[in-house]
Amino acid sequence: MQPLVNRDNHTYLYRQVADIIRQMQINGTLKAGERIPSLRQLATTLNISVPTVKQAYEELERIGMLESRPKSGYFLRVNPPGNAVPRKPKLATKALPVSRQQLIEQAYNAIHVPGIIPLGICNPVAALPSNKALARCMRRVMSMAGEQAIGYGPFAGFEPLKRQLALRYLDMDMKVNPDQIVITNGAQEALTLALKLVASPGDIIAVESPCYFGILELIESLGMLAYEIPVCPQEGISVDDVIQALDRHPIKACVLSSSITNPMGALNSEESKRQLVALLEARRVYLVEDDVYGDLYFGEKRGLPAQRYATQGWVLTCSSFSKTAAPSHRVGWLLAPGLANQAASLKRALSCSSSLLNQWSLSEFIGSGEYDRYLRQLRQVLFTNKERMLACIARHFVSGTRVSNPAGGAVLWLELPKKLDGNMLFQQALPLGVSLMPGTLFAPSDKYRHCIRLSYGLPWSSQVEDAVAAIGQLSKCQHS
Ligand SMILES: Cc1ncc(COP(=O)(O)O)c(C=O)c1O
């Protein structure tokens, strides 16, 4: 049985066992409703104790994934009712101006209310704070940096960090020259540079539907128009939809997720990315890809950036360490092989350079090997949280609720019965000490008013369960 438990791994043995069962569920080895290996069988196969396997099974039972039946053993639960996935939306008929800034501001303010349970913000690292390991790296950097600590860094970024990024891309079978990378203030600045480089006010930008609201806010601030391309919960973006969109509208650029979309958590396959890049290059349309969730996958391996399939410089890759190490560091990057010099000049004009100390610390974090160790643990914690939140939603939400089953990342997308109002749920949840993201934020049109996004990127606790239950109760009250 693969993968076997690893005693040198920092993760508890029982969690490794639980992960093995989850992986067997994901890759279809175990089917819903089937009996899973007995405690003794698995303990013998993995050469570990029966109580360790029991602890793993009990944990999986607690989150609703397994069911124990007296004298029969443990069974993989059939998806509980209420967990049907959201429906794929329709292709838009026209491009729209965006007007979401006010609601975004309200939603952001809610996240910072003291004592709030922040189900609204997607901050995966909060689920397993990286601060201790990162703090060690920061202290090392402070002792090495001397007077450089308070100086300006190079405007296009700290060379050792850019080299490390290039090496990480090499692991993804991509030959990247560090000069093609510009370090930015988070992925948001990378997206800003990319859009300013390839489009102008009034241009139509194709976006995912539903789409991360930061991209919509950016399009709004740049005076561009957004055209919605539907995201299928299981298959991500369809190349046929993009063809139809390009045939009907003068689209200047597409802003799409590389692998894992936000908020749907859908996974774009390698084949669809390959076809998409070929299509866009043939039509001379830029692809700005957003890869911030690429490392937070739940499957067996990381999805590759679409850049991997580019041959003519029409793909610009945006990413950051905000979802995988520290959003406060504001360190991201733009990989733009065809436009590297222009990107570097624009970065200089917009914000001169990014924090040298933060780049240096992250470079230490990666170089020490701690970053990759941390990522492995983070993915595991996020997966468990996702299962727990799905189970909670199935228990507490109004019937007819549809929920995404993300392939990675830290958020769930909920499609509630049509007559419910996500904006109202947002307002009603605040006095209960809970923030959520109303669906309206995730498209320029009003089609997601009955949807909400919830984050499981936080340390799991009974308070979090109560918060999900409270929103569920509100959904039932609105419905009745
Ligand atoms: C899909 C997506 N892209 C970009 C960003 C912005 O990332 P950063 O904090 O690095 O600017 C976020 C943050 O939530 C996001 O979810």
Side-chain angles (χ1 to χ4, degrees):
M1 184 178 300
Q2 287 293 332
L4 297 177
V5 292
N6 175 0
R7 287 172 197 279
D8 299 330
N9 188 320
H10 287 195
T11 309
Y12 295 116
L13 276 182
Y14 82 91
R15 285 226 184 127
Q16 294 188 44
V17 176
D19 208 43
I20 289 172
I21 299 294
R22 281 191 212 99
Q23 290 304 331
M24 289 167 80
Q25 183 210 6
I26 292 172
N27 66 26
T29 311
L30 292 174
K31 303 264 180 308
E34 265 182 18
R35 185 167 182 271
I36 66 166
S38 72
L39 299 176
R40 195 163 302 282
Q41 235 176 345
L42 196 59
T44 311
T45 312
L46 299 177
N47 195 19
I48 57 176
S49 71
V50 170
T52 304
V53 181
K54 190 161 195 305
Q55 195 178 0
Y57 283 13
E58 281 171 357
E59 156 106 4
L60 294 172
E61 189 181 13
R62 222 169 60 74
I63 65 172
M65 187 173 157
L66 296 186
E67 181 187 354
S68 77
R69 296 189 198 148
K71 299 204 180 122
S72 305
Y74 285 86
F75 290 74
L76 197 63
R77 267 187 196 278
V78 179
N79 258 359
N83 274 7
V85 292
R87 282 171 278 241
K88 181 184 170 193
K90 293 204 173 71
L91 194 64
T93 50
K94 58 178 183 187
L96 295 171
V98 185
S99 170
R100 289 286 175 265
Q101 275 175 344
Q102 241 183 338
L103 187 56
I104 291 176
E105 194 165 321
Q106 280 180 40
Y108 266 127
N109 287 343
I111 292 154
H112 296 293
V113 173
I116 200 114
I117 307 274
L119 304 183
I121 183 98
C122 179
N123 180 16
V125 296
L128 181 71
S130 60
N131 50 348
K132 283 206 185 115
L134 200 50
R136 277 196 297 277
C137 296
M138 290 168 86
R139 278 196 295 274
R140 273 205 302 275
V141 168
M142 282 307 282
S143 66
M144 286 187 285
E147 64 189 34
Q148 283 188 69
I150 53 166
Y152 283 111
F155 64 85
F158 181 57
E159 275 308 313
L161 180 62
K162 297 205 300 178
R163 280 199 297 274
Q164 271 158 336
L165 289 173
L167 279 175
R168 295 180 82 76
Y169 280 124
L170 199 58
D171 277 348
M172 297 178 223
D173 199 21
M174 291 164 64
K175 285 203 188 81
V176 169
N177 182 330
D179 291 345
Q180 296 167 330
I181 298 173
V182 174
I183 300 290
T184 56
N185 293 316
Q188 194 65 23
E189 192 183 41
L191 289 161
T192 310
L193 296 181
L195 266 186
K196 282 173 92 66
L197 284 171
V198 303
S200 310
D203 282 343
I204 298 178
I205 309 300
V207 296
E208 289 160 355
S209 180
C211 165
Y212 165 56
F213 52 82
I215 291 170
L216 294 175
E217 190 175 26
L218 180 59
I219 289 176
E220 179 173 356
S221 74
L222 295 176
M224 297 170 184
L225 300 175
Y227 178 84
E228 297 176 47
I229 301 199
V231 175
C232 166
Q234 293 94 349
E235 283 160 20
I237 288 287
S238 130
V239 179
D240 285 344
D241 284 342
V242 180
I243 293 174
Q244 280 193 50
L246 294 177
D247 285 347
R248 293 178 195 167
H249 306 275
I251 288 169
K252 194 64 192 274
C254 298
V255 180
L256 302 174
S257 305
S258 309
S259 293
I260 297 159
T261 71
N262 171 13
M264 193 69 91
L267 184 69
N268 294 317
S269 71
E270 296 308 313
E271 186 47 34
S272 74
K273 275 180 276 189
R274 190 195 303 275
Q275 287 180 18
L276 184 70
V277 171
L279 169 72
L280 295 179
E281 288 196 332
R283 304 265 189 130
R284 305 176 76 75
V285 173
Y286 280 104
L287 171 60
V288 174
E289 64 169 334
D290 182 340
D291 197 23
V292 290
Y293 296 105
D295 281 319
L296 300 182
Y297 54 93
F298 297 147
E300 279 186 10
K301 52 181 192 203
R302 192 196 196 287
L304 302 178
Q307 187 74 256
R308 163 70 182 73
Y309 306 108
T311 55
Q312 299 166 33
W314 288 86
V315 181
L316 293 85
T317 307
C318 305
S319 194
S320 77
F321 292 103
S322 302
K323 308 297 173 185
T324 55
S328 66
H329 274 43
R330 307 307 304 138
V331 176
W333 66 94
L334 172 64
L335 166 62
L339 293 165
N341 291 338
Q342 294 93 316
S345 305
L346 187 55
K347 159 70 185 173
R348 191 176 57 235
L350 288 183
S351 61
C352 186
S353 59
S354 295
S355 158
L356 177 63
L357 277 181
N358 292 349
Q359 293 177 67
W360 201 332
S361 307
L362 286 163
S363 162
E364 276 289 304
F365 196 29
I366 298 172
S368 66
E370 293 202 64
Y371 179 58
D372 280 311
R373 266 198 298 283
Y374 170 71
L375 278 180
R376 281 194 290 277
Q377 292 176 1
L378 180 62
R379 282 193 288 266
Q380 213 169 56
V381 171
L382 289 173
F383 185 89
T384 307
N385 282 4
K386 174 196 81 158
E387 296 294 324
R388 287 172 163 158
M389 197 173 262
L390 282 174
C392 256
I393 289 168
R395 271 200 303 278
H396 297 291
F397 271 66
V398 63
S399 79
T401 297
R402 291 170 169 263
V403 194
S404 60
N405 188 4
V411 290
L412 295 178
W413 178 247
L414 281 75
E415 185 186 320
L416 305 166
K418 268 265 158 49
K419 71 178 211 189
L420 268 69
D421 183 334
N423 291 10
M424 209 196 287
L425 276 182
F426 165 69
Q427 299 294 352
Q428 291 171 328
L430 283 182
L432 306 178
V434 185
S435 85
L436 56 86
M437 279 293 165
T440 314
L441 284 181
F442 296 84
S445 66
D446 271 336
K447 62 161 69 99
Y448 299 122
R449 219 187 156 86
H450 61 302
C451 298
I452 58 172
R453 190 192 76 174
L454 297 181
S455 166
Y456 48 86
L458 64 195
W460 198 261
S461 66
S462 56
Q463 285 95 322
V464 173
E465 287 188 9
D466 291 347
V468 178
I471 305 173
Q473 192 53 41
L474 290 174
S475 74
K476 286 180 179 160
C477 292
Q478 261 198 30
H479 198 247
S480 58

